[in-house]
Amino acid sequence: MVLSAGEQAPAFELLDNEGNLHKLSDYQGQTIVIYFYPRDDTPGCTTEACSFRDAYADFREAGVEVIGISPDNEGSHSKFIAKYQLPFVLLSDPDHQVSEAFGAWGLKKMYGREYKGVFRTTFVIGPDGKIKHVFENVKPADHSQEVLEVVKA
């Protein structure tokens, strides 16, 4: 079950593409956007990442940091970041513990087949560590603009 606005965001520790450890507590005191996505360099995930890339200056101007999380490893993230010049952090969640803690992991269906995977979900987390807004069943194109509207409000 996906976490809701008003709940405390689960603490986490994940590695970025350079092997640096990132903890939720590192971002205490600032608003962050965490978006969960299924896989690097796939059409929908690339569209979503590039949408955040193109709006990144607007997020930073609003004092907001953007973080992407997927099950992909650090090497995959490095290639994805380099290929699309992504200016924000991508974190690896290979055992999907963080995705599960946020409720962004579960049973999916495609072409009649069931499998477990990441639900494309975005969380706006306030300076106090509480979830301010949740976007479920995200449509990748222009998603960053709807998130930007919420963080600027």
Side-chain angles (χ1 to χ4, degrees):
M1 187 147 162
V2 176
L3 296 178
S4 302
E7 292 186 76
Q8 191 69 34
F12 65 79
E13 294 184 0
L14 293 174
L15 296 175
D16 68 13
N17 63 300
E18 296 177 347
N20 298 314
L21 187 67
H22 291 256
K23 299 181 277 190
L24 179 62
S25 60
D26 294 341
Y27 301 94
Q28 188 173 9
Q30 70 181 99
T31 298
I32 61 172
V33 169
I34 297 178
Y35 78 96
F36 289 89
Y37 67 99
R39 188 169 174 159
D40 291 339
D41 212 9
T42 57
C45 296
T46 299
T47 297
E48 185 176 20
C50 290
S51 174
F52 277 112
R53 176 201 64 203
D54 295 346
Y56 187 68
D58 295 328
F59 281 99
R60 294 304 300 140
E61 187 177 303
V64 176
E65 188 55 67
V66 175
I67 299 168
I69 298 178
S70 84
D72 293 307
N73 64 34
E74 292 89 355
S76 176
H77 284 340
S78 288
K79 290 176 189 170
F80 192 43
I81 288 168
K83 185 174 182 178
Y84 295 102
Q85 295 87 43
L86 303 178
F88 48 84
V89 172
L90 297 180
L91 300 179
S92 295
D93 186 23
D95 56 6
H96 46 82
Q97 286 184 336
V98 176
S99 300
E100 285 184 42
F102 276 81
W105 178 270
L107 194 61
K108 299 174 77 170
K109 286 184 179 184
M110 184 170 17
Y111 306 119
R113 185 176 71 92
E114 289 188 345
Y115 62 97
K116 289 200 172 193
V118 173
F119 300 126
R120 196 180 300 277
T121 312
T122 300
F123 297 86
V124 177
I125 301 172
D128 58 358
K130 289 190 177 180
I131 297 168
K132 301 295 181 200
H133 197 92
V134 180
F135 297 87
E136 294 184 72
N137 303 312
V138 168
K139 304 293 183 241
D142 302 320
H143 173 55
S144 66
Q145 291 307 308
E146 65 182 341
V147 176
L148 195 56
E149 287 175 20
V150 167
V151 299
K152 283 185 166 183

